[in-house]
Amino acid sequence: MGKIVVAEFVSLDGFIQDPLWTAPFWCDGIANYKSGELEAVDALLLGRTTYQMFAASWPDHPEEGAYKDKMNSMPKYVATDSLRDLDWNAQRIEGDLAAGIAKLRTEQNLLVFGSASLVKYLREHELVDEYRLVVYPVLLGSGLRLFEAVEPEATLALADSEVLDNGVVLTTYRVTANSVVRPSFG
């Protein structure tokens, strides 16, 4: 049985949109964390927008080495209704999306980058097994939030964390239950 890992760059106030604001914080600690998460999976699971951005940039990305090689060579599965012809070693998930993703999850470990709408869909269908969040010490004030009107609720366990010298916090949370037990106060 595989798992689905959601990997996001997140501001301290919970925003994930257009992560250009992360660039000043880039360091070896983040690079190693991101390399580790990519090495631990078999394929990428992407929404249409993230797929299009990545497919346009990664094949000709200036970075050289194992990370770029794996990004370009690994299989990609794309959740899209509008795109028919995909390149960059990608294929569309056909038929019922939840069933298709659940089947892929039984066969391999999948990593989701960005793809906010897809992440919301996965959460709603209780298909997320782990969140790998790189939390930045910035307050953006607006944008697209990672967790907005979370349904269903979930309980997470902190599996790992590290605070970098630049204030960035690397976290790994595992989903332990797809509901929250609320105490009764008599």
Side-chain angles (χ1 to χ4, degrees), residues 3-186:
K3 65 181 176 181
I4 295 177
V5 176
V6 170
E8 301 287 353
F9 293 142
V10 184
S11 68
L12 193 57
D13 52 350
F15 295 105
I16 60 172
Q17 190 171 348
D18 190 19
L20 294 176
W21 44 269
T22 66
F25 295 92
W26 192 258
C27 64
D28 289 343
I30 296 170
N32 293 335
Y33 183 78
K34 299 305 282 180
S35 291
E37 73 189 9
L38 190 65
E39 284 302 316
V41 299
D42 306 303
L44 294 181
L45 175 61
L46 302 170
R48 179 193 52 81
T49 302
T50 301
Y51 161 75
Q52 288 179 305
M53 288 187 322
F54 280 18
S57 65
W58 272 104
D60 299 317
H61 197 278
E63 178 178 324
E64 295 297 328
Y67 192 90
K68 178 183 176 181
D69 293 345
K70 180 137 187 189
M71 280 291 285
N72 285 322
S73 66
M74 71 189 317
K76 289 103 181 155
Y77 301 99
V78 183
T80 179
D81 289 329
S82 59
L83 298 179
R84 297 286 176 227
D85 297 318
L86 305 177
D87 53 11
W88 193 49
N89 200 23
Q91 62 183 332
R92 207 172 94 100
I93 301 170
E94 300 290 342
D96 180 75
L97 185 59
I101 292 171
K103 182 178 184 312
L104 288 169
R105 180 185 183 206
T106 65
E107 301 165 349
Q108 54 198 312
N109 293 313
L110 303 165
L111 180 62
V112 181
F113 285 132
S115 307
S117 296
L118 175 60
V119 170
K120 181 178 185 228
Y121 180 87
L122 294 171
R123 198 176 60 242
E124 289 170 350
H125 288 83
E126 300 180 351
L127 291 169
V128 177
D129 298 292
E130 188 173 292
Y131 293 94
R132 291 180 56 95
L133 307 177
V134 179
V135 183
Y136 289 82
V138 296
L139 301 174
L140 298 177
S142 65
L144 186 61
R145 287 190 184 275
L146 176 57
F147 300 112
E148 201 157 351
V150 177
E151 290 293 333
E153 296 176 337
T155 301
L156 309 176
L158 181 63
D160 194 22
S161 68
E162 179 182 357
V163 179
L164 302 179
D165 291 342
N166 61 4
V168 171
V169 182
L170 311 174
T171 65
T172 302
Y173 288 95
R174 292 199 178 99
V175 177
T176 58
N178 279 311
S179 63
V180 175
V181 177
R182 298 184 182 273
S184 174
F185 297 104

